[in-house]
Amino acid sequence: MNHEEYVNRVLSRLKEAIAELEETMEFRRSEIARMQEYYWESYTEYDEFGYEKIDNDRLLKEEADAHSELVKKYTRYQKMLDSPYFAAITFRYEGEEEEETYYIGIGDFSPKKGMVPLVCDWRAPISGLFYDYDIGPASFQAPEERIYGELLRKFQYKIKGGKLLYVIDSEIVINDDILQKELSMNANARLKSIVTTIQKEQNAIIRNEKDKILVIQGCAGSGKTSVALHRVAYLLYHRRKQLAANQVLVLSPNPVFSEYISHILPELGEENILEMTFDLYAYRELKQYKDTEDRYEYLERLLTLPEKEALEYQSRVQEKQSKEYVLELNEFVLFLEDSLMNFRPFTYKKIQRSEHELRTLFYEKFPDIPILERIKTIAEYIIDEEETLSGKELDVMERDIIVSRLEKMYEMTDLFRLYNRFLKESGRKEIGEDARSIPYEDVYPMLYLKHLLHGSVKRSGIKHLIVDEMQDYSYVQFLILSKMFSCPMTILGDREQQAAPGKMDTQAFCREIFGKEAKMLTLEKSYRSTSEITRFASRIAGLTGEEAFERPGKEPEWITSSNEQEMWETIAEQLQKEQECSGQYETTAVLTTTKEQAERLYSVWKDKLPVTLLSAESSRMEKGIVITTFYLAKGLEFDSVHVAYVPEEEKMTEYQRQILYIGATRALHELKVYGYAEKGSVFTEHSDTCCLGAKEQ
């Protein structure tokens, strides 16, 4: 059977299976409707103990679950009608004479249960041969043992709309022609699936089930986020009984990024996972005291303060997120064990406890309970004793009175006041009672103090955690995560793309905090940008070890204007030229340094060009021309990128180089960099500092 005949055979069987599924789904729907109708007609006649209702509810749930599984399969088969598979391998098992051919797609497909699959899921053990081996001896890990044999042939297919466009007989892991075609495509407003082009080093991470915590340092464009999401899809496929999509959480940089990656798992046949930002979690935990500043407010302040103040501010932030600051907080909590308590005899009705008895319970009986939870534990202990002696339970009101009176032995319990006490006693400036919000530098130290005083509530419902952009996480943030989650983790980032000045060694944090459970891995090859853009970005960042997939394109342009107005006009002209080349690019970004710059450009252009403003409040990225800051563009990619407000290369500070590197590595096909050299501007006068603050007047 030739390639085209096999495509037609699979499509024919798929259509038959879809028709059968439609009939079965219709039957299930009618069964559910019948059961619901029966319930409303008969519920008044159910037995007095409710057994019939429980039985009916169980049967209804089973029918609903069965229907849900059918819908998932139906959706997958519908997707496969467009492209049922993308690869095939021919393998001869060791000791066998005959060879077997396996076709690989986004999901399994067998016309009937128990039949040999016409298409194997890319996550199946046998499919790993396609990604991991060249022609020759090969092996894969089956559930019971490792299987050996010889890989005889590999094919790569492009099937679209059910039509075979081309097939390549490939001798290497992923044929460069296929990869070139995929990488040369225009960017969408969403991240692309890489299932058809997974590379060997990426596949090793995706299929890693051995290590509990993977910490992945990857250069820009190495596919870190895609690899993490494909790893989750792989784990969901192989651990159906232990792991569900709603038990996976990704900590993402912002809501836009969350939406940008949200389609990947559904494309791979899985349900979407949970998502939130760490700043949102911190806000929810501390909102009873005050509002909290987030990372973007911190960056904006850093980028717009006068240089001297910016340096002081950044130094303060780094200090309060450090290991040394954490140790100070730990010492403060030890000190509170004595200074926070005001023990005295306790009496309520017949219950009596001496000061000595309460001290003994506090310091000797329950020393491992967090301080601000310890009195509640002592109250429960006393209540249990009383109920045992009296032989009757205390009512809720009496219990509350006992807890409330015992808690008055704390000098104070307000977290905000206790943190201010720490600041004062350590010789630091307190947060004013009238402050609108908790400053960013104090948010996570205060959250850590809350964990020390109240204990960490383990998120047992989360069974896998993804932490993206790890380079922007501090020591104290990783420490908080370690207290919140005991589940497996995939932690990823790029040290060169830190949004703030300097480059923290977050891998060292992970190694120290998670210990031997953390496996350090590196992805060194970039697949996103053209060779010219990758080399430009590497030069700006001073990198020498990065590998790049060779995809030729245009040389980046560096355009300097005489003033800001001229720079705006130059960018607008370049954007209009792109627009005139109808259909050339689907996504274009104009990246600025600050929010104010982005808003200013948007206000100037919104009536002249089809532009949208991407802000921290945005929920999604649109196609077309997007104006945003460098830090909100992190993790995203665009066909064409225009980076504005960039000084001359020889006058750039280290931080400005970081900013330009982040902007440049967002570009797939074309990059232009703009600045102006107006006298007295930030582009003609620079200090040796790492901050990009405004010049002091």
Side-chain angles (χ1 to χ4, degrees), residues 232-266:
V232 166
Y234 178 84
L235 295 173
L236 289 170
Y237 177 83
H238 283 274
R239 299 180 180 178
R240 290 281 183 217
K241 294 182 179 178
Q242 297 85 32
L243 185 66
N246 62 4
Q247 295 171 324
V248 180
L249 171 67
V250 56
L251 288 180
S252 61
N254 54 61
V256 174
F257 185 77
S258 301
E259 200 279 334
Y260 181 66
I261 65 174
S262 64
H263 69 296
I264 292 290
L265 285 168

Side-chain angles (χ1 to χ4, degrees), residues 462-606:
I462 300 301
K463 295 187 177 179
H464 195 97
L465 178 71
I466 298 175
V467 181
D468 208 349
E469 302 289 346
M470 70 173 179
Q471 71 278 359
D472 289 330
Y473 283 68
S474 63
Y475 181 89
V476 69
Q477 287 174 309
F478 274 116
L479 199 57
I480 293 169
L481 288 178
S482 73
K483 292 180 177 295
M484 289 170 56
F485 301 97
S486 56
C487 61
M489 302 182 191
T490 304
I491 302 171
L492 50 141
D494 176 12
R495 68 173 66 91
E496 303 300 331
Q497 293 189 66
Q498 188 169 320
K503 294 169 187 175
M504 293 185 293
D505 189 354
T506 48
Q507 279 189 311
F509 296 165
C510 292
R511 195 177 290 111
E512 179 180 341
I513 292 168
F514 297 111
K516 293 181 180 179
E517 289 186 322
K519 173 81 170 179
M520 305 294 157
L521 299 171
T522 304
L523 290 172
E524 296 178 335
K525 193 166 186 177
S526 176
Y527 298 97
R528 176 185 292 142
S529 307
T530 63
S531 308
E532 289 79 4
I533 293 172
T534 300
R535 283 194 288 269
F536 172 87
S538 296
R539 191 190 80 234
I540 290 298
L543 303 177
T544 55
E546 274 194 348
E547 297 178 52
F549 180 78
E550 284 300 319
R551 180 169 68 87
K554 297 179 181 179
E555 286 288 346
E557 293 183 52
W558 200 308
I559 304 169
T560 303
S561 303
S562 59
N563 56 59
E564 187 176 18
Q565 180 66 35
E566 185 182 309
M567 180 191 72
W568 293 352
E569 293 170 358
T570 302
I571 300 173
E573 287 172 8
Q574 295 295 327
L575 292 172
Q576 285 170 338
K577 285 180 183 178
E578 279 188 16
Q579 291 292 301
E580 289 166 7
C581 299
S582 179
Q584 182 182 6
Y585 296 136
E586 291 188 17
T587 57
T588 296
V590 179
L591 304 183
T592 64
T593 303
T594 67
K595 175 183 175 183
E596 186 273 334
Q597 291 169 346
E599 290 173 344
R600 192 157 16 125
L601 285 181
Y602 176 70
S603 66
V604 170
W605 289 342
K606 65 181 180 180

Side-chain angles (χ1 to χ4, degrees), residues 130 133-135 154 156 169-176:
F130 171 69
Y133 288 97
D134 299 339
I135 302 302
K154 295 172 61 173
Q156 290 175 260
D169 191 343
S170 175
E171 292 189 0
I172 59 175
V173 180
I174 299 292
N175 187 281
D176 280 0

Side-chain angles (χ1 to χ4, degrees), residues 276-319:
M276 74 182 303
T277 67
F278 207 4
D279 283 343
L280 177 59
Y281 169 75
Y283 163 75
R284 288 174 176 173
E285 288 291 300
L286 300 177
K287 65 180 180 181
Q288 68 188 92
Y289 307 105
K290 280 186 184 296
D291 194 2
T292 56
E293 285 188 346
D294 61 28
R295 183 167 185 80
Y296 299 130
E297 290 174 291
Y298 146 61
L299 286 172
E300 280 295 325
R301 182 176 300 147
L302 179 68
L303 291 161
T304 54
L305 281 172
E307 285 187 32
K308 184 179 178 181
E309 291 179 37
L311 274 173
E312 292 172 351
Y313 177 50
Q314 175 64 2
S315 176
R316 191 165 64 248
V317 172
Q318 289 176 338
E319 175 206 358

